Amino acid sequence: MTVSMGSEDYLLEVKNLRKHYPVRKGLLQRVVAHVKAVDDVDLFIKKGETLGLVGESGCGKTTAGRAILRLIEPTDGIVLFRSKRLSDDGSEQVIDVATATPEELTLLRRDMQIIFQDPYSSLNPRMTIGEIVGEPLKVQGVAKGSEREARVLELLRAVGLDIDHVKRYPHEFSGGQRQRIGIARALALNPKLIVADEPVSALDVSIQAQVINLLQELQEKFGLTYLFIAHDLAVVKHISNRVAVMYLGKIVELAETDELFSNPKHPYTEALMSAVPVPDPDFKQERILLEGDVPSPVDPPSGCYFHPRCKYATDVCRTETPQYRHLGDEHFVSCHRADELTLKAIRTK
């Protein structure tokens, strides 16, 4: 389905995205509740930028990324994507990925790819590296024989691997090399958007820096757009143009990176930032420890989902759901008290 998008600069726009998993009980397996893994998410990504998506483990980051790509079916919502793949004359059209037919989705896969978190389990141990990287070309039927082999070698060079590696298997490589293989596979079809699902969290710190630098080089070289999912705010600050903060299936704050780190408006963002190490031995960082556990997505709290753990919560926070509103300068927040609170920002040199 072709629809309209908010701005010509947008490559992707997500509106009211939900992914609810049914909870079944009893002999007849009746649905008694739903796990609200992603609950009414709105965000947009501009062409050529990196949007960081951060939050605690289990907050719904990965589910949101996979629902956007329709690797899992969203329960509800609109996922608008700008593409030329379905146009007869080569012009750009805005497609709703959530309602695309299987045939349309196959073509859109060329523009939308993913880098998985685990660089080992995402690679088939029975296939050589050449077969793994060349598989998207085979599935889509865009290159055969010597043309496909040449493209595979080109991709291996692009991610810093030796062309002699093409006949080897995944177990013969280190974690960083395996992640480079995953990146090469994601690049095979010249995509516009790549969802990077915690691509460095399983790697050593020194290797993390190499992979992050590689992703930035490839973005500049091929004009890529990233949705970068992570829980490490220091990494996200380094690579992202804008950052969205997620809590219990909802986006609670979104802003340009410098604005978010210097002027946080949501108490949850403030708490996350207090955990980021500051490279200054003379600075004493005040750690904000959130009390209690993350509420269950099966039975979330009334009002603001964060209020049971928020030291600034008032009666209105406990009873009324805050609106996700625009504060200006592309800064969005979901907090009743955002206008009156002065929160601690991360210290940077």
Side-chain angles (χ1 to χ4, degrees), residues 300-322 336-337:
S302 60
C304 174
Y305 283 5
F306 187 62
H307 87 256
R309 308 174 76 194
C310 180
K311 62 182 180 180
Y312 307 109
T314 62
D315 289 340
V316 69
C317 302
R318 300 179 181 91
T319 56
E320 297 182 17
T321 302
H336 290 297
R337 304 190 62 192

Side-chain angles (χ1 to χ4, degrees), residues 118-347:
D118 188 339
Y120 187 70
S121 64
S122 63
L123 304 177
N124 190 332
R126 298 176 182 271
M127 296 174 68
T128 66
I129 300 312
E131 292 170 335
I132 290 171
V133 176
E135 189 175 25
L137 302 169
K138 180 180 179 181
V139 170
Q140 291 280 346
V142 297
K144 298 180 179 179
S146 59
E147 183 183 356
R148 186 162 69 222
E149 292 175 5
R151 175 61 175 160
V152 168
L153 297 181
E154 178 188 350
L155 290 164
L156 292 180
R157 292 191 193 97
V159 298
L161 292 175
D162 197 305
I163 59 175
D164 293 336
H165 294 161
V166 71
K167 297 294 185 181
R168 296 184 183 179
Y169 290 85
H171 73 271
E172 300 179 72
F173 295 88
S174 67
Q177 288 175 318
R178 285 196 288 259
Q179 194 59 287
R180 289 174 185 266
I181 295 164
I183 293 170
R185 178 177 59 186
L187 291 174
L189 296 169
N190 293 314
K192 289 183 177 180
L193 173 71
I194 292 181
V195 174
D197 183 13
E198 304 205 33
V200 297
S201 64
L203 307 178
D204 293 338
V205 174
S206 60
I207 306 301
Q208 285 184 12
Q210 294 176 20
V211 173
I212 290 295
N213 291 336
L214 173 64
L215 289 172
Q216 291 180 309
E217 291 169 8
L218 294 172
Q219 183 176 37
E220 184 175 348
K221 183 177 180 179
F222 297 113
L224 299 171
T225 302
Y226 292 141
L227 173 60
F228 190 88
I229 299 170
H231 59 263
D232 188 333
L233 275 173
V235 171
V236 169
K237 185 177 188 294
H238 177 72
I239 196 173
S240 302
N241 302 104
R242 292 183 303 121
V243 179
V245 181
M246 197 167 186
Y247 182 79
L248 208 64
K250 292 181 178 289
I251 302 293
V252 296
E253 188 165 8
L254 188 153
E256 292 185 355
T257 303
D258 290 341
E259 167 68 11
L260 186 82
F261 279 77
S262 63
N263 187 28
K265 289 295 185 181
H266 197 283
Y268 180 60
T269 308
E270 179 189 39
L272 289 181
M273 288 184 178
S274 74
V276 179
V278 176
D280 183 353
D282 298 324
F283 178 71
K284 302 300 181 182
Q285 179 85 330
E286 181 184 347
R287 181 75 170 90
I288 299 174
L289 298 176
L290 297 177
E291 297 182 357
D293 297 325
V294 179
S296 170
V298 177
D299 184 23
S302 60
C304 174
Y305 283 5
F306 187 62
H307 87 256
R309 308 174 76 194
C310 180
K311 62 182 180 180
Y312 307 109
T314 62
D315 289 340
V316 69
C317 302
R318 300 179 181 91
T319 56
E320 297 182 17
T321 302
Q323 291 185 341
Y324 184 65
R325 54 197 174 98
H326 186 205
L327 299 180
D329 296 328
E330 295 189 357
H331 198 150
F332 300 83
V333 70
S334 177
C335 178
H336 290 297
R337 304 190 62 192
D339 296 319
E340 60 182 284
L341 294 177
T342 301
L343 304 179
K344 296 181 180 68
I346 190 171
R347 180 188 172 101

